[in-house]
Amino acid sequence: MHDFSRRGLLKATAVAGAGAVVVPGVTAVETGGASAASEGPGGVKCPPAQLTGRVVHPDAPGYRDARLGWDQLFSHYPLVVVFAQNTQDVVNALTWARQNDVALRVRSGRHSLEGWSNVDNGIVIDISELKSVRIDTDSRIATVGAGLNQLEAVTRLAKQDLAVTTGTEGSVGLAGATLGGGFGFLTRWLGLACDSLVGAEIVVPSGTECAKVIRADSRNHADLLWALRGAGNGNFGIVTSLTYKVAPLKSVTYLQATWEGLGDLHGIFNAWQRTAPVAENRLGTQLEIHKPQTLLFAVLAEGSPEETKELLAPILSVGKPRVSVQEGNWGDVYAGFQTPTKDEPANWKFFSQFTRKPFPKEAIDVIASFMRDAPTDDSNFFTQAFGGAARRSPRGGAAFVHRDALFYSEPGVGWGTRGDQPGVGDPLTPQAQAWIAEFSQALRPYVNGAYVNVPNVGQQDWETAYWGSNFDRLRQIKAKYDPHNVFQYEQSIPPASLRHERA
């Protein structure tokens, strides 16, 4: 069952930690950016910070691997990469960056789809090695390090017959997925990943040049918890651990159906969009349309193969699909449909969108036309059914606003071979980028909104596309926790006191 893939999937890896290291050539004294002691809140002095953890600088043998992201279309050269081994390493790195006036970015799973978790001549604070796991099976509360990827989280919880919503790609960072919303096969049953988030440890700016650790939950900094549920990626601070309310899940049925070519696309898509978002909440489904074939993926929580086929009968009755079914532990099933990164294209571009009304025939015609002319077989149109529990906000609310969507979708284009020249130099890059730009433009009459975890870089109204009417409240919360706009990138939330237009 390795056909399932719209983006490449990394194998989970963990690197042993190291002790405190001062980066040659970029210490606080040598850069000259920090005074002997900087002012914290209430006049408290912050001593000059030094970088601790596993510190990788440009002269180190592992620098190339440390700087590369999953999408090789983007290539950056940071001044230093700090792989935090604990929360204090994060505090030190943030303080150091502020004292030395160095641009910073936060990174976990390296799947930032516009390369915004990296930066030239700045510091990358990587929390991917914070992999602690504490599970209380009685209260069904799990507290995990923010470095876990989705595969690690799913499999660790599944060993206890527990689950939380995640996306479908194992190497994506759990924190990044959750903080932007997070949806996948269990969304219609359990809600979004951010809906299960009940607490977080986060390192935030303090004073003019310092950093501190705070806890956001329903009793402490509840406004920040609300913001983290859908707008937390690199906007307010650096999340170092997440606490979830998890659900019991003993087994699932996983079904994959394959139709050759695009001849049955109208029937498949129409049957799917009219049944999947209103089906039994335990059923989560995705369609993935390629030039050579159309794929349906479905997961039924606590259901049998027979029940799964019955629920999907309106779709499976279209044409003559090849159907395979697997029943088992969710962790085993999830691990089984992951695909190694080496088998995936090096370069990717996506355009995210939500749909609140079924696509008319004209919209499906657009999909069929563009997929027939796709620049590569890896290019696709991906969908995820909403409805069910996705419509319910968690206690305390969430910044995620697209709960009334019928489904989510995205055109995606993949090209190039890993290990070859950077994506910007690939001769197919102009064609691939033009194809997805034209595809997304042709679909505009039928879609609205966008997903912050799959950013639309050229969208002018990105603030409301991602967060709708919540954007003003998010700016107020930003002003409270990051008034100096330390955490900023191309589409970050600015404090309410700043204009949000950027040069």
Side-chain angles (χ1 to χ4, degrees):
M1 296 188 180
H2 293 292
D3 289 335
F4 179 89
S5 174
R6 66 189 170 102
R7 295 199 288 263
L9 299 165
L10 299 169
K11 293 293 184 182
T13 59
V15 183
V21 180
V22 179
V23 180
V26 290
T27 63
V29 174
E30 290 168 334
T31 55
S35 57
S38 57
E39 289 287 336
V44 176
K45 300 291 185 179
C46 296
Q50 293 189 345
L51 300 178
T52 58
R54 187 167 71 88
V55 182
V56 181
H57 54 85
D59 295 333
Y63 178 76
R64 180 184 181 278
D65 290 338
R67 73 173 186 83
L68 286 178
W70 169 81
D71 191 341
Q72 295 183 9
L73 183 61
F74 306 100
S75 182
H76 293 284
Y77 293 85
L79 180 70
V80 61
V81 181
V82 174
F83 291 87
Q85 308 298 298
N86 52 52
T87 300
Q88 187 59 49
D89 293 339
V90 177
V91 172
N92 294 345
L94 177 54
T95 303
W96 183 90
R98 299 192 71 197
Q99 289 177 343
N100 292 284
D101 194 23
V102 173
L104 69 92
R105 297 292 170 90
V106 185
R107 188 180 73 183
S108 177
R110 306 198 192 196
H111 277 257
S112 176
L113 297 180
E114 289 295 337
W116 293 339
S117 63
N118 207 337
V119 64
D120 292 317
N121 300 314
I123 181 174
V124 173
I125 303 174
D126 187 299
I127 49 86
S128 65
E129 295 175 12
L130 303 180
K131 294 185 180 292
S132 60
V133 177
R134 299 194 308 275
I135 302 173
D136 186 329
T137 55
D138 292 331
S139 64
R140 293 174 183 161
I141 294 292
T143 299
V144 302
L148 284 187
N149 64 31
Q150 294 186 136
L151 175 61
E152 293 166 333
V154 169
T155 52
R156 289 294 295 271
L157 288 171
K159 289 179 180 179
Q160 304 290 332
D161 290 333
L162 297 169
V164 68
T165 298
T166 68
T168 50
E169 296 162 24
S171 65
V172 170
L174 178 69
T178 299
L179 297 175
F183 47 82
F185 283 121
L186 303 183
T187 300
R188 302 186 66 257
W189 183 46
L190 301 179
L192 280 77
C194 69
D195 296 346
S196 297
L197 184 69
V198 295
E201 180 185 78
I202 181 171
V203 178
V204 297
S206 177
T208 57
E209 291 187 334
C210 304
K212 64 180 180 181
V213 184
I214 63 174
R215 174 77 185 174
D217 54 35
S218 61
R219 297 182 179 181
N220 305 286
H221 307 291
D223 57 344
L224 182 56
L225 177 62
W226 175 88
L228 294 178
R229 291 172 169 168
N233 286 326
N235 277 309
F236 306 98
I238 306 171
V239 172
T240 51
S241 76
L242 307 102
T243 299
Y244 296 90
K245 181 69 174 178
V246 296
L249 178 60
K250 290 186 178 180
S251 70
V252 303
T253 291
Y254 172 72
L255 180 145
Q256 176 178 319
T258 306
W259 291 262
E260 294 304 322
L262 299 171
D264 292 317
L265 179 58
H266 280 81
I268 298 165
F269 199 99
N270 199 47
W272 175 82
Q273 69 176 342
R274 294 187 182 278
T275 60
V278 294
E280 160 70 49
N281 287 2
R282 291 176 295 125
L283 181 68
T285 59
Q286 300 172 346
L287 276 182
E288 187 175 305
I289 302 162
H290 294 256
K291 182 191 298 187
Q293 58 190 9
T294 298
L295 305 167
L296 167 69
F297 305 99
V299 168
L300 181 64
E302 305 291 9
S304 67
E306 293 74 22
E307 186 181 8
T308 305
K309 290 180 180 179
E310 182 179 352
L311 289 169
L312 295 170
I315 311 169
L316 298 179
S317 65
V318 178
K320 297 180 179 179
R322 298 194 314 273
V323 179
S324 61
V325 185
Q326 175 186 358
E327 185 179 11
N329 173 272
W330 175 226
D332 295 336
V333 170
Y334 187 92
F337 60 60
Q338 304 303 315
T339 303
T341 300
K342 64 181 178 60
D343 296 335
E344 292 292 305
N347 314 303
W348 288 92
K349 196 75 173 177
F350 303 92
F351 190 92
S352 66
Q353 55 207 8
F354 290 90
T355 297
R356 288 163 174 79
K357 295 181 180 180
F359 275 0
K361 179 181 182 299
E362 293 78 11
I364 303 173
D365 285 341
V366 168
I367 298 170
S369 175
F370 274 90
M371 291 315 306
R372 289 189 187 99
D373 293 332
T376 65
D377 287 349
D378 291 291
S379 305
N380 64 80
F381 183 81
F382 168 86
T383 64
Q384 169 82 55
F386 265 50
R391 293 187 176 274
R392 301 194 298 267
S393 293
R395 179 177 297 180
F400 186 87
V401 296
H402 305 291
R403 297 186 182 276
D404 60 341
L406 195 66
F407 58 85
Y408 166 83
S409 63
E410 62 185 36
V413 55
W415 72 100
T417 303
R418 293 187 177 272
D420 288 357
Q421 59 183 329
V424 291
D426 190 304
L428 195 57
T429 296
Q431 179 186 347
Q433 292 182 324
W435 178 82
I436 195 168
E438 293 168 5
F439 194 172
S440 59
Q441 183 64 33
L443 285 172
R444 281 188 182 276
Y446 315 105
V447 301
N448 52 54
Y451 183 35
V452 69
N453 280 355
V454 184
N456 297 344
V457 67
Q459 188 153 338
Q460 293 185 351
D461 61 341
W462 56 267
E463 303 95 328
T464 52
Y466 299 145
W467 299 296
S469 60
N470 285 337
F471 186 65
D472 288 342
R473 182 180 176 187
L474 288 167
R475 292 192 67 198
Q476 294 291 337
I477 295 171
K478 174 77 168 184
K480 178 179 177 180
Y481 293 97
D482 184 19
H484 299 290
N485 205 24
V486 174
F487 293 95
Q488 60 175 288
Y489 53 92
E490 286 79 350
Q491 288 183 350
S492 60
I493 297 169
S497 58
L498 296 180
R499 294 178 60 200
H500 64 266
E501 294 84 1
R502 280 175 169 64

